[in-house]
Each structure stands twice: as structure tokens, then as C-alpha cells.
Amino acid sequence: MLAHMHPTIKDIAERAGVGLGTVSRVLNDNPRVSETTREKVMGAVRDLNYVPSLAARGLSLGKTQSIAVIAPFFTRSVFVERLHGIEETTSANGYDVVIYNVDATEKRDRYFRTVPDPRRVDGVIVISLPPSTPDVAHFQRSSVPIVFVDVGSPLCEPFDRIVINDVEGGRMATQHLIDLGHRRIGYLGDIPQAGFNFTAGEDRFEGYRRALAGAGIAVHPEYHLDGRFGREVARTLARRMLGLAERPTAIFASNDTQALGVLEAARDLGLDVPGDLSVVGYDDIEMADFLGLTTVRQLLFESGRRSVEALLRRLGEPEGVPICDSLPVELIVRRTTAPPR
Amino acid sequence: MLAHMHPTIKDIAERAGVGLGTVSRVLNDNPRVSETTREKVMGAVRDLNYVPSLAARGLSLGKTQSIAVIAPFFTRSVFVERLHGIEETTSANGYDVVIYNVDATEKRDRYFRTVPDPRRVDGVIVISLPPSTPDVAHFQRSSVPIVFVDVGSPLCEPFDRIVINDVEGGRMATQHLIDLGHRRIGYLGDIPQAGFNFTAGEDRFEGYRRALAGAGIAVHPEYHLDGRFGREVARTLARRMLGLAERPTAIFASNDTQALGVLEAARDLGLDVPGDLSVVGYDDIEMADFLGLTTVRQLLFESGRRSVEALLRRLGEPEGVPICDSLPVELIVRRTTAPPR
DNA sequence: CTACCTCATGGAAACGCTTCCACAACATGC
DNA sequence: GCATGTTGTGGAAGCGTTTCCATGAGGTAG
């Protein structure tokens, strides 16, 4: 017995003594089927353990029941959390998630060109990767709905997007330090990784700049350093900044990982945190809680969830003005910030 | 102009002035095509910007060019790292990765039943989730190759698998403490999350047990506590263990996250690490390095890479004895272990 | 009793690909 | 000169769905 073979609607039709169309109608809840035949068919479906072929349905319908996620460095907690929200919402709605990890600009370009294909996926979520003008033109030609998460670029305005108010987050972090009485406040950012043009860093810096301006504090160029993402680089840079004759009494790092580097640098130099140095991070990754790091929390999981919802909405309603969903940020004050001595 | 429509091989055939079969042959590098027609076809492919339909090819060939990963709690760093290795290797070989995150046993059961379907994916990688006997029967009936990663269960022997020598890892960690002169060594494990039957914890405990036995140290029941995965629970349990009249001078936690909880407990109780208490973790997640946590490193990324390689091998060679690839573990000594006072 | 709807149903066509079979054109061996 | 390859090619069949169209059965109204 070919018990392991997969039955097709033809097998079901034969066993139930009905036609192919009828089986398909039953499976798709078409009301134009009598109750008795419906039951006969459902019986055969159970008997033969029928499972429809997604590929065949996809071919016939032009739908794949799967959505693609294009994200950079998906091992970083920030992306993992977003992906988590995406996965949960997607699976709850009967879609599959296909992940495309971008660890080099060539991969991004390749995925941007090949993934948004209606025969491949029903929708695409792009995280933190701003497209170029040709990319946008290509996306618009494609009939696949695209949602951008955490991409501030104005080029994305024709598409649905979930944005984070990073300017506000940067402002809040900096204002917190100002409110504590700090005047010499350093900023440690990550360098827009060659060609990636992440915008979050710049926005957070803009918030920092505005907060200082609002308090009438001049931006001291030596208090602003950027480096490649990662703890080690941040540690080195922070050490340099803390070695200045008139060193800052507080440092705002544009993400928690770099904030850890700052903490290490402080430890290296024998500086007490928060006594000699206040430190604020950004993202509120798990480690931040463990270390008592003051930071700015963003709704990562939620951003993933909403991106899927936006996609599903767009699938039902292809036309219509693009929505822009802005997520709030929140300052989480812990033990690495205090008034300066 | 329907410039945005996707051309089919029929369009290519017409434009190149050849038949459908010829186009297909060119696209599949069939040698039975003359050089001149091959060039004509390739020209048409470029002109029309042809991209083949995966669904159609899949339907015709019974292949999908995608592999599934079924993993529990994929936000935990351990799984993220493994997934990273999987994604990288998979994309390098022209396959797509579809992720199925298991956060409840029902989801695991559902995925186990529905995902290993040759019409859905070409292969399946299961991480840390031991199957039941009926599951195994179902997997064997299915024609989809399956690779298990980090599943010690003997039920998996009919399948390819990548295993981690967790017994040895547990032994190494414990032996390290014994070598330092500790005799009162606690063990903090994670509870086999209701129904999941993760085996790693038990194996690590077994290693702990053997190391003690080898040194002629009796296992003290009060020095062994298990709790749900997570820092907070571990913190509570560790506090309990450290509150004993004769408290342990060292604790081996079965994973780094729980080791963090132990560190917190020590902090709570004003115990100096490693002066009053030595702590060893397991996994070597990023935080371990930051905190100077002594731990056991396993090759997470590598385990992902190898699982894909095993799958690809199996796709080329469906029959043949299942391979069992055992990955080494390594003790990383940092600053949380020292001889007892 | 006839004309006309409605409802349930069967099956062909279409989706875009691969593969197999048939055939034509030409070369080879005796 | 004829059988016998060999090579390149075209196109039909098949993969498993959905959908559209045709049909027959039964119901209702005149």
C-alpha cells in the first residue's frame, strides 16, 4: 500500500464519488455544496489524510501563503526581538516566514531584487534597510506589498511603514542627563556600516543635539565619537573620550551594546558608575536589565507584530494611502545614571 | 505595456523563436542544445528579464528549494546562534529557510505533523526537540530528510543528527571546580519545560554527577536545584541554596542565563565572586564574555552549519546509514572561578 | 404543461514548469 | 545504397490546484 503517498483532490473525488470541482468547493468553504456531499467529501478527506499541496494551490492562485523578512545581522537582539513579533503574528495567521539575513550590501541588493516576486512570497518586510532610488522604483513596479520597519528614509513614503521615534528617544536620554545636572555629555554612536545607511543612529544623535540646544549647551566635537557596532570598538572609543583633559561626566551611547563598551572603559579607568560617570544606552536589551543600565526602551516585539498586521491589511486592500505607524519610546531609569559629583 | 508582468518560458520561446522544451533545457544546463540556440535563448532571457517561477518548478519537480527549521524559543541566544549557522549555509546553497518557532507543545506537535511534507519543504532541521515514538514513525514514513540538532534521544538514531557532548561539558565544568579545590559544589539546572523534554540539562547534570563520583564526592541533594529557565527563577533558587547552613563554595549552572541569576543572588547576599563563591555557566553567550563568566563553550554556529550540510548530503544520497556528528565542547576559564577560601 | 430560475455538480482549462517521446537532419559503417 | 546511429528540436503530458462554463434536476409561476 502506498500509504505514504500524498492523496490529491482526484483521489478524494473518487473515494467520495464526486467530481473534482466539488471537492475543491468543499475545501474552500464554497456555499454552493449540499450538506450531504460536503460530509461525504470531508469523510474521504479524513480517511485518506488529505493535505492540500501548497505549491499547486500557489501556482493556481498566484499566492504562496508565505512572507519574507529581509533583515540585517539578525543575530543582534534588536532584530531577534522584532523577528519574534513577526513570527508569532505570521504563524497565528497561517503564513510561513522565510528569513533573508543580510550581512553584506551585495546580499541586500540581491534580495531586494529577487525576493519581492509575487510568485515567491505574498509580502515582504524590510527591517532597518533603507532602499536606494532604483530599489524603490523596482518595489513599486512589483505587485508584492512591502512594509518597512525602522527605516526613516523619505524614499519609503509610498509604502506602509512602522517607524520608531528615535529622535525623541535620543532627546529623552539626553534630557534625562541634563535634568540630573550634567553639562558635559558625550555621545557614542555606531558608524553607518559601510553602505547600509542605518538611520537610527543619526536620528538618536539628532535628538541628542536638540536636547543640548534646548538647554543652551554647545555640542563639543570631542564629545562625539562614532565607531563600528560592537562592544570592543565602543570600549576603545569611550576610553579615548574619557581620557580627555576635561572628560564628560555622562555618555549617551546609541545602543546598549556600545553602552556596555562604555561601562567596560569606565571599569578600565577605575571610574565609578554612576558616581564619576553616568551612562545611558538605547534598546533595552536583556543585558540592560541585568546590569541596571539606564536606557531607552523601544517596542521591538510590537514593531514586528504591527508590520505583519500592516502587511495583512494591505493584502486585503492593495490600494489606499500608505500608513505610517509610529511607535513610542520610553526612558527606563536604572542604576547607571546619577547627578554629577 | 505590461512591463511588470512576469514572462514565462513560453514568452522566451516565442521571442527566441524556439520551442518550450529547448528553453527549459537551456535553463537547466542540458548539454543537448547547440551553442547558437543557447545564445538566442539566453538573449531573450536577458531581454525580458526572465525569472523562473519557483512554485511551478516545485510543482513539476516535487522540490521546493526551501528547508524548514523547527526550533523552540528561538529568541534565546543559543537558538539564534544555531539559526545563524543554518541561515548562512542554506542561503549559500541557494535554499530558503522557513522558520517555525515552538513556544508551546501544541505548536511543536502541529509542526511535527504538518511540516515534514515533501510538497512543502525539501528538508527539515529540528533543534533541541525530542520526538515521541509516533512522531518518529511519522517522520520515517515521510520522504523528507530530517536532521536533529542537540537531541540526544535514542529515538532519533534512524536520522542524521548533530549532537553536543553535554555530559562531557558538564564533567569539564565540574572537574574544573574540583581541580580548584572545591568540594561543596552546587548544581542549578533548568526544569524540562513542561512537555519539552530537553535533554541537554540532564546530560550536563550527568557530567556533574560523574565528575563528583570520580573525585569521591557524594552528591548532596540540597546542592541540586532545578527551576524554569530564566534569570529570576535561578536567582531565587540560588539564594535558597546559598542560604544553607553549609552553603556550597561553587555553583555550576546548566546555562549562562541561569548563571547570571546565580551572580545576582551572590550580589544580593553580599557574597564575593569568586572569593566566596565560584560560578560556572554553560553556552558562552555574549554576556558571559562581558561579565567574565567561566563557562563551557559549544560550537553553536557550527552546529547549524553542519546540520544543513548533513541535509544537503542526504538530499543527494537519500539512503545510507544515518550519520551522527558529535561536536566538541570547550571550557572557557574567566574571572568567576577561583580556589575556595 | 411549458417556460424559466435556482441549485448542485462534473469536468475542462489554466497556472508555469520539466520531461519524455517523436521526429527531422545529418553523419557513419558496411 | 541502405540500415543505424547521433544530435538538436518541438510539443504534449503531467504535476495538483482553482475557476469557469455547461448541464441536469428540481421548483415555481403563468
Side-chain angles (χ1 to χ4, degrees):
Chain A
M1 295 299 287
L2 295 178
H4 61 284
M5 276 298 297
H6 287 274
T8 69
I9 51 168
K10 201 174 153 214
D11 301 321
I12 303 293
E14 278 170 15
R15 179 167 243 262
V18 302
L20 285 73
T22 306
V23 175
S24 178
R25 275 184 289 268
V26 169
L27 295 173
N28 292 286
D29 287 323
N30 186 315
R32 272 175 135 51
V33 184
S34 77
E35 199 46 44
T36 53
T37 40
R38 157 162 279 122
E39 272 164 21
K40 270 194 295 184
V41 171
M42 291 313 284
V45 164
R46 266 187 299 274
D47 292 352
L48 299 183
N49 233 306
Y50 170 79
V51 181
S53 154
L54 293 184
R57 164 173 279 161
L59 183 56
S60 184
L61 242 45
K63 292 282 153 223
T64 63
Q65 286 295 310
S66 65
I67 70 129
V69 178
I70 307 182
F73 311 109
F74 82 96
T75 49
R76 295 189 191 167
S77 354
V78 182
F79 300 114
V80 171
E81 276 306 319
R82 289 215 164 95
L83 198 54
H84 190 194
I86 291 173
E87 201 281 336
E88 188 160 309
T89 317
T90 308
S91 78
N93 286 281
Y95 282 78
D96 281 348
V97 192
V98 188
I99 53 171
Y100 297 95
N101 178 40
V102 170
D103 49 19
T105 52
E106 307 85 60
K107 253 183 159 176
R108 175 198 59 193
D109 296 339
R110 194 173 79 232
Y111 289 150
F112 273 4
R113 250 181 299 113
T114 59
V115 175
D117 179 333
R119 303 165 309 170
R120 201 168 192 198
V121 291
D122 291 350
V124 178
I125 295 176
V126 174
I127 303 181
S128 302
L129 293 166
S132 66
T133 307
D135 287 336
V136 168
H138 176 233
F139 292 161
Q140 287 184 299
R141 254 194 317 274
S142 157
S143 58
V144 179
I146 303 191
V147 175
F148 288 92
V149 180
D150 182 37
V151 180
S153 162
L155 285 176
C156 295
E157 275 165 26
F159 308 95
D160 291 326
R161 53 209 192 287
I162 314 293
V163 301
I164 320 298
N165 197 339
D166 280 316
V167 176
E168 174 61 10
R171 202 200 54 73
M172 282 166 62
T174 314
Q175 189 62 47
H176 168 60
L177 294 170
I178 293 170
D179 290 345
L180 285 171
H182 292 276
R183 310 294 290 174
R184 301 204 305 273
I185 302 173
Y187 177 90
L188 190 76
D190 72 330
I191 252 173
Q193 204 126 351
F196 277 115
N197 304 316
F198 293 150
T199 51
E202 289 167 40
D203 286 352
R204 292 168 195 179
F205 180 71
E206 175 61 19
Y208 161 83
R209 220 188 43 70
R210 287 193 199 167
L212 290 191
I217 305 174
V219 176
H220 189 328
E222 286 191 307
Y223 289 175
H224 173 200
L225 289 179
D226 285 329
R228 196 156 46 74
F229 184 94
R231 221 173 61 219
E232 276 308 316
V233 173
R235 180 182 190 168
T236 309
L237 293 181
R239 249 190 324 223
R240 186 184 316 160
M241 201 187 295
L242 293 171
L244 291 174
E246 200 170 47
R247 60 172 170 76
T249 60
I251 294 183
F252 168 37
S254 77
N255 58 70
D256 286 346
T257 301
Q258 292 194 300
L260 295 189
V262 175
L263 292 179
E264 284 182 311
R267 196 165 63 196
D268 294 343
L269 300 173
L271 295 175
D272 177 55
V273 174
D276 302 317
L277 179 72
S278 284
V279 179
V280 183
Y282 204 110
D283 292 337
D284 195 31
I285 65 179
E286 200 197 350
M287 231 183 303
D289 178 38
F290 177 76
L291 294 170
L293 177 68
T294 294
T295 189
V296 177
R297 174 185 296 168
Q298 50 172 328
L299 303 177
L300 296 169
F301 181 91
E302 180 71 9
S303 72
R305 207 170 61 71
R306 294 209 193 176
S307 67
V308 175
E309 285 169 358
L311 212 45
L312 296 178
R313 205 179 310 129
R314 188 55 70 193
L315 284 172
E317 167 81 18
E319 304 305 326
V321 283
I323 61 148
C324 180
D325 195 349
S326 181
L327 290 179
V329 289
E330 183 188 1
L331 182 72
I332 307 291
V333 178
R334 296 204 182 90
R335 303 187 307 270
T336 56
T337 48
R341 287 243 166 89
Chain B
M1 295 293 287
L2 294 179
H4 62 284
M5 276 298 296
H6 288 274
T8 70
I9 52 167
K10 200 172 153 214
D11 300 321
I12 303 293
E14 277 169 14
R15 179 168 244 260
V18 301
L20 286 74
T22 305
V23 175
S24 179
R25 275 184 288 267
V26 170
L27 295 173
N28 291 288
D29 287 324
N30 186 316
R32 273 175 133 53
V33 184
S34 76
E35 199 46 46
T36 53
T37 40
R38 158 162 278 120
E39 272 165 20
K40 270 194 296 185
V41 170
M42 291 313 285
V45 164
R46 266 188 299 276
D47 292 352
L48 299 184
N49 233 306
Y50 171 79
V51 181
S53 154
L54 292 184
R57 164 175 280 160
L59 183 57
S60 182
L61 242 45
K63 293 280 153 225
T64 62
Q65 286 294 312
S66 65
I67 71 129
V69 178
I70 306 182
F73 311 109
F74 82 96
T75 49
R76 294 188 192 167
S77 352
V78 182
F79 300 113
V80 171
E81 276 306 320
R82 290 216 163 94
L83 198 54
H84 190 195
I86 290 173
E87 201 281 338
E88 188 160 310
T89 317
T90 307
S91 78
N93 286 282
Y95 281 79
D96 281 348
V97 192
V98 188
I99 53 171
Y100 298 95
N101 178 42
V102 170
D103 49 20
T105 52
E106 308 84 62
K107 253 182 160 177
R108 175 199 58 193
D109 296 338
R110 194 173 77 233
Y111 289 151
F112 274 3
R113 251 181 298 114
T114 59
V115 174
D117 179 335
R119 304 165 307 170
R120 201 169 192 197
V121 291
D122 291 350
V124 178
I125 295 176
V126 174
I127 302 182
S128 301
L129 293 166
S132 67
T133 307
D135 288 336
V136 168
H138 175 233
F139 292 162
Q140 287 184 298
R141 254 194 318 274
S142 156
S143 57
V144 179
I146 303 192
V147 175
F148 287 93
V149 180
D150 182 37
V151 179
S153 163
L155 285 176
C156 294
E157 274 164 26
F159 308 95
D160 291 326
R161 54 209 190 284
I162 314 294
V163 301
I164 320 299
N165 197 339
D166 280 316
V167 176
E168 173 61 11
R171 202 201 53 74
M172 282 166 62
T174 314
Q175 189 61 49
H176 167 59
L177 294 170
I178 294 171
D179 290 345
L180 286 172
H182 293 274
R183 311 292 291 173
R184 302 205 303 275
I185 302 173
Y187 176 89
L188 190 76
D190 72 330
I191 251 173
Q193 203 126 353
F196 277 117
N197 304 315
F198 294 151
T199 50
E202 291 168 39
D203 285 353
R204 293 169 194 178
F205 181 71
E206 174 61 19
Y208 161 82
R209 222 189 41 71
R210 287 193 198 167
L212 290 191
I217 305 175
V219 176
H220 189 326
E222 286 191 305
Y223 289 177
H224 173 199
L225 290 178
D226 285 329
R228 198 156 45 75
F229 183 94
R231 221 174 60 219
E232 276 309 314
V233 174
R235 180 183 190 167
T236 309
L237 293 181
R239 254 195 315 226
R240 185 184 317 161
M241 201 187 296
L242 293 171
L244 291 175
E246 201 170 47
R247 60 170 170 75
T249 60
I251 294 183
F252 168 37
S254 78
N255 58 70
D256 286 346
T257 300
Q258 293 195 299
L260 296 190
V262 175
L263 292 179
E264 283 182 312
R267 198 164 62 194
D268 294 342
L269 300 173
L271 294 175
D272 177 54
V273 174
D276 303 317
L277 179 74
S278 284
V279 180
V280 183
Y282 204 110
D283 291 338
D284 195 31
I285 63 179
E286 200 196 351
M287 232 183 302
D289 178 38
F290 177 77
L291 295 171
L293 177 68
T294 295
T295 190
V296 178
R297 174 184 298 168
Q298 50 173 327
L299 303 176
L300 296 169
F301 181 92
E302 180 70 10
S303 72
R305 206 169 62 71
R306 295 209 193 176
S307 66
V308 176
E309 285 168 358
L311 213 44
L312 296 177
R313 206 180 308 127
R314 188 57 67 196
L315 284 172
E317 168 81 18
E319 304 305 326
V321 284
I323 62 150
C324 179
D325 195 349
S326 181
L327 291 179
V329 289
E330 184 188 0
L331 182 73
I332 307 291
V333 178
R334 296 205 180 92
R335 302 189 306 271
T336 56
T337 47
R341 286 248 165 87

